Amino acid sequence: MLRSIAFGGGGTRGILHAGAYRALLETKPDLTFPDGIYGCSIGCVAALAVAYRLSLEQLEHICYTHVFVRGIVDKITIDDVQSLFEKRGLITMECYMNTVATAFEECGIDIRTKTMDDLPQKVFFISSNMTTGRASLLTGKIPILKALACSACIPLLCVPEELNGDIHLDGAVFTRCVSEVVPPETTVVHISRIDTTITPWTGSLTDILMSAMRGRRSIYMKPNTLRIDNRTITFLEDLTDEQKKVAMDDAYSQARAFFAKRLAEELK
């Protein structure tokens, strides 16, 4: 069950990964995944934490100190609005990349100049390649921060990322749940409640909001998928430390039960 692991997206809901991380450390303290570690959007931060084997305290520090809307989305100006259609987005990914880099620097890790090949374990970031029309697994010589930006580039909000001549957007554009694109035996931590694929052509703001609030249960209920059910946190919401603690504790309880059940099944 635990030879490879994947973390899904969900904006500031990514703090729920820290709760799952606590249960994961209890289940597999060495955090070694020989068949790969996968991340999509905010889930890339959890993937990096596993790859570098951060302590629970380090990951929780990142959640408490850096997971705020202002750390993900830069301030939008009137110039950004006026150039929306020209740039195909309101803001760049610079704010997000700098926030993640700073968070890992505080853990003693420099990712600003590193590539995916420099990571201590094999890691893949999932993005939506708009040029090829399918999901991409980013790894190899790609700079970590560039791959991070490609995977978390929210349509319409963020200016699309260009990589090797291809245009990339958030992995959720083509992937409702990362279990769709990772190897079938991979353990998946899924926190997003996306019902339909969110694309630049989604009909209306109402459609986007409704799809972000619903979950189509059938695509998440695979044996290796941990579906953390949390209906109190929205996609881009700032929480107090106490609210974050409650959410992470709840995610921990769900993850602990999942890992215990799966391990019991494997031991039969």
Side-chain angles (χ1 to χ4, degrees), residues 4 7 47 66 72 87 124 129-130 138 167 193 214 225:
S4 58
F7 298 91
H66 297 285
I72 297 175
K87 298 187 301 183
F124 304 84
N129 189 321
M130 305 306 291
L138 306 179
I167 301 299
R193 295 180 58 78
R214 295 194 303 263
T225 299

Side-chain angles (χ1 to χ4, degrees), residues 68-79:
F68 293 98
V69 173
R70 65 180 179 273
I72 297 175
V73 179
D74 206 353
K75 183 178 180 180
I76 298 174
T77 68
I78 186 62
D79 290 337

Side-chain angles (χ1 to χ4, degrees), residues 137-157:
L137 298 178
L138 306 179
T139 191
K141 298 297 183 183
I142 301 171
I144 293 172
L145 291 181
K146 184 64 174 179
L148 189 83
C150 289
S151 182
C153 191
I154 301 172
L156 299 181
L157 176 62

Side-chain angles (χ1 to χ4, degrees), residues 207-253:
D207 292 333
I208 295 175
L209 293 175
M210 290 301 294
S211 65
M213 291 298 293
R214 295 194 303 263
R216 214 170 55 191
R217 193 174 177 81
S218 61
I219 67 171
Y220 308 129
M221 298 309 291
K222 297 181 180 179
N224 287 348
T225 299
L226 162 59
R227 179 175 177 266
I228 297 178
D229 188 4
N230 182 294
R231 307 183 187 208
T232 63
I233 307 174
T234 57
F235 184 71
L236 288 175
E237 178 181 2
D238 280 336
L239 304 174
T240 65
D241 285 354
E242 181 58 31
Q243 288 173 318
K244 289 181 180 181
K245 183 181 185 305
V246 170
M248 289 188 285
D249 285 347
D250 180 50
Y252 164 71
S253 297

Side-chain angles (χ1 to χ4, degrees), residues 3 12 79 81 112-113 120 142 149:
R3 290 186 58 84
T12 53
D79 290 337
V81 175
R112 292 185 188 273
T113 59
I142 301 171

